[in-house]
Amino acid sequence: MSQPPKNINFERCEDEPIHIPESIQSYGFLIAFNYKDLKISIVSDNCESVFTEPLIGKHFLEILSSDTNERAFLEETFDRVTKTKIRLPIKLHLKASMLEEGAAIDYLAVVYDSGHNYVVELEPATEFRDTYSAEQFIKLYAMSIAPRFKEMTSLREMAQEMVSTIRYLTNMDRVVLYKFNDDYSGKVIAEAKADDMDSYQDLYFPASDIPAQARALYKTNWVRLTPDTELPPARLVPSTEASGREPLDLTHSLAAANFFTYSSSIH
C-alpha cells in the first residue's frame, strides 16, 4: 500500500497546500518550461526512465520529432492556455534519438499555464486510446451523447450520463460526481463503476473530508484522475530546496499527487 508523504499532517489537512504537492502520479510524466524561451526548467524524476539525456535547459520543441507538423499548433495552444487559463489536450511525437530503447514515441498530453511556465503532462498513447482516437471521441460526443442532454429532465439523469461518459472515455474503475452542500458537506450524486466494487452512490461526507482549499481546487479543476492508488509519486526536479525556485502550481494538473490521492489509498 502506498504511504503518504512524510510532510503531510493529517491532523491539519485543511492547511495543506495541495495545489503545490511537488509530485505527480507516476503513470505520467511532467515537463515544465518557461513562457518566453520555452527552456525546460522542471521535470518529474521518472522522465529519466524515458529519455537518454537530461532535459533541464533544453528547448521544449527540441525534444519533439522533427517530422511533426504540429509545432505551429503547439505554439498556438500555448498562447490559448495563457489567455484562457484552461487545460487543453494535445498529442505529441517525441524525438526517437532522445528516448531509451523501447520507450513510447507517441503521447497523449495536456498543457496548462502555471505562473511563468507552461506545463505539459504526458501519458503514453494506450491501445485503448489508439483504437478510439480523440477525433472519434469528439464525433461520438457530438453525435450521440450531447444531443441526449436535451431529453433529460433531472439533474440526477444528467449527472449519471456525465459519469458514465467519463468512465467510458477513461476506462477508470470508478467515476463519481460529488455535490457540495451549503454547509460544505457533500454527497455523491452519480457514479459509474466496475461491477465488483462497493457503491458510493448517495453517500454523504462531512465538510472535513474535503477541506476548504480542496473545495476551491475542485471547483477550478473538475476532473482529477487516479489510475492506480498504489503507484509511488514521481517527484519534481530540481527540488525547491536545491534550486531555490518557487513551488510549481499544479491546480490544473490531471496527475498531481496530493493528500487526496494518498488518502484514497489508506482509508
Side-chain angles (χ1 to χ4, degrees):
M1 177 175 292
S2 297
Q3 295 299 314
K6 293 180 180 179
N7 62 344
I8 284 183
N9 179 359
F10 285 92
E11 299 301 318
R12 298 288 299 173
C13 62
E14 71 276 9
D15 296 331
E16 290 297 330
I18 62 172
H19 64 298
I20 49 172
E22 284 297 298
S23 60
I24 64 167
Q25 301 171 67
S26 55
Y27 71 86
F29 308 92
L30 181 146
I31 300 173
F33 43 97
N34 185 270
Y35 270 0
K36 295 182 178 180
D37 58 15
L38 302 189
K39 292 290 183 68
I40 297 172
S41 57
I42 306 169
V43 299
S44 56
D45 62 10
N46 58 346
C47 284
E48 66 182 17
S49 67
V50 176
F51 292 91
T52 58
E53 52 191 279
L55 297 182
I56 302 297
K58 293 187 180 300
H59 193 286
F60 176 73
L61 298 182
E62 181 185 342
I63 72 173
L64 304 183
S65 169
S66 58
D67 299 334
T68 185
N69 57 3
E70 298 173 347
R71 297 192 179 203
F73 173 76
L74 284 175
E75 292 173 344
E76 179 185 338
T77 301
F78 298 154
D79 186 55
R80 287 176 62 201
V81 298
T82 300
K83 292 177 179 177
T84 62
K85 304 301 180 184
I86 61 174
R87 180 178 62 215
L88 293 173
I90 54 176
K91 189 169 185 178
L92 299 177
H93 306 279
L94 301 183
K95 184 180 292 184
S97 62
M98 294 184 64
L99 302 177
E100 295 284 354
E101 184 176 354
I105 294 176
D106 296 334
Y107 288 80
L108 297 173
V110 294
V111 58
Y112 54 89
D113 176 288
S114 178
H116 298 292
N117 296 290
Y118 297 120
V119 179
V120 171
E121 293 179 7
L122 306 93
E123 178 183 353
T126 65
E127 291 182 9
F128 172 80
R129 286 178 173 172
D130 282 342
T131 302
Y132 299 98
S133 69
E135 290 83 2
Q136 288 172 309
F137 282 141
I138 292 170
K139 185 179 295 185
L140 170 71
Y141 184 85
M143 296 180 64
S144 63
I145 297 172
R148 296 215 299 266
F149 284 110
K150 296 180 181 179
E151 303 170 2
M152 296 174 187
T153 59
S154 68
L155 174 61
R156 179 179 287 269
E157 190 178 4
M158 183 174 293
Q160 188 59 50
E161 185 66 40
M162 291 170 65
V163 295
S164 297
T165 299
I166 291 176
R167 182 165 187 253
Y168 175 72
L169 297 181
T170 62
N171 207 27
M172 291 285 167
D173 288 336
R174 186 197 307 271
V175 177
V176 299
L177 196 155
Y178 190 89
K179 178 184 177 182
F180 294 121
N181 298 317
D182 290 340
D183 63 357
Y184 301 127
S185 64
K187 177 183 178 181
V188 173
I189 64 171
E191 175 185 56
K193 66 177 185 64
D195 292 339
D196 60 347
M197 302 181 76
D198 292 336
S199 178
Y200 295 165
Q201 181 72 47
D202 295 328
L203 292 184
Y204 284 89
F205 297 88
S208 58
D209 265 26
I210 302 185
Q213 85 279 28
R215 292 194 296 271
L217 179 67
Y218 290 146
K219 285 191 289 186
T220 300
N221 186 356
W222 293 5
V223 177
R224 179 65 60 89
L225 305 179
T226 308
D228 187 348
T229 59
E230 301 299 321
L231 283 176
R235 303 293 179 183
L236 302 190
V237 293
S239 68
T240 55
E241 295 82 6
S243 65
R245 65 173 174 82
E246 292 294 318
L248 188 65
D249 188 338
L250 297 181
T251 295
H252 294 286
S253 171
L254 272 181
N258 56 37
F259 169 77
F260 300 97
T261 299
Y262 294 104
S263 66
S264 66
S265 70
I266 63 175
H267 282 342

